[in-house]
């Protein structure tokens, strides 16, 4: 068993696609029109055949209270691994990304949390090598 796809609810699919590709650097994998919305996925350029992230419309009534509660409590909805959180924080801040948690060493990893402009908090994570 392996993870092939996971989803992230977004307020606006086109805005999310622009943010996730132009700012974060993901690559569009699928864009299949489905009425008012699309089956819209992105992948890491480092693993183009790897797991896909579905940018899913947030129109279901359960989504808003769920995401609002997570944002209120500062809890990220998703985590992305990076090689250097400090460098990524500097790069993304330069592009106007707002961080709610600057880089923080938590022992086993360095983490930072940003607002994805689409209704979610996202955590960057740089795992530390095991000693």
């Amino acid at each position: 068993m392996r993870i092939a796809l996971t989803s992230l609810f977004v307020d606006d699919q086109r805005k999310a696609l622009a943010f996730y590709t132009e700012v974060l650097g993901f690559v569009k994998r699928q864009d299949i029109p489905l009425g008012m919305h699309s089956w819209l996925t992105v992948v890491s350029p480092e693993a183009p055949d790897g797991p896909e992230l579905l940018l899913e419309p947030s129109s279901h009534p359960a989504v808003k209270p769920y995401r609002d509660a997570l944002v209120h409590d500062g809890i990220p909805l998703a985590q992305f691994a990076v090689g250097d959180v400090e460098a990524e924080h500097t790069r993304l801040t330069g592009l106007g990304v707002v961080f709610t948690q600057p880089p923080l060493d938590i022992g086993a990893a360095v983490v930072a949390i940003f607002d994805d402009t689409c209704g979610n908090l996202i955590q960057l994570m740089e795992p530390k090598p095991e000693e």
Side-chain angles (χ1 to χ4, degrees), residues 59-90:
S59 55
H60 189 281
V63 173
K64 182 171 176 28
Y66 170 68
R67 288 193 318 166
D68 287 350
L70 290 177
V71 169
H72 178 267
D73 292 343
I75 299 171
L77 189 63
Q79 297 77 35
F80 301 140
V82 296
D84 184 337
V85 167
E86 290 282 350
E88 206 54 29
H89 174 264
T90 299

Side-chain angles (χ1 to χ4, degrees), residues 3-8 51-55:
I3 297 170
L5 178 113
T6 189
S7 61
L8 185 70
E52 294 177 62
L53 179 64
L54 175 62
L55 302 176

Side-chain angles (χ1 to χ4, degrees), residues 67-123:
R67 288 193 318 166
D68 287 350
L70 290 177
V71 169
H72 178 267
D73 292 343
I75 299 171
L77 189 63
Q79 297 77 35
F80 301 140
V82 296
D84 184 337
V85 167
E86 290 282 350
E88 206 54 29
H89 174 264
T90 299
R91 181 183 80 80
L92 293 174
T93 300
L95 293 172
V97 174
V98 175
F99 279 79
T100 61
Q101 170 65 61
L104 176 66
D105 188 324
I106 60 168
V110 177
V111 299
I113 300 172
F114 66 88
D115 180 335
D116 77 349
T117 74
C118 304
N120 307 292
L121 295 179
I122 305 295
Q123 180 170 277

Side-chain angles (χ1 to χ4, degrees), residues 10 14-15 23 28 32 46 57 60 66 69 78 105 114 127:
V10 296
R14 295 298 141 193
K15 179 180 174 185
V23 177
K28 180 172 69 173
I32 303 166
E46 297 170 15
H60 189 281
Y66 170 68
D105 188 324
F114 66 88

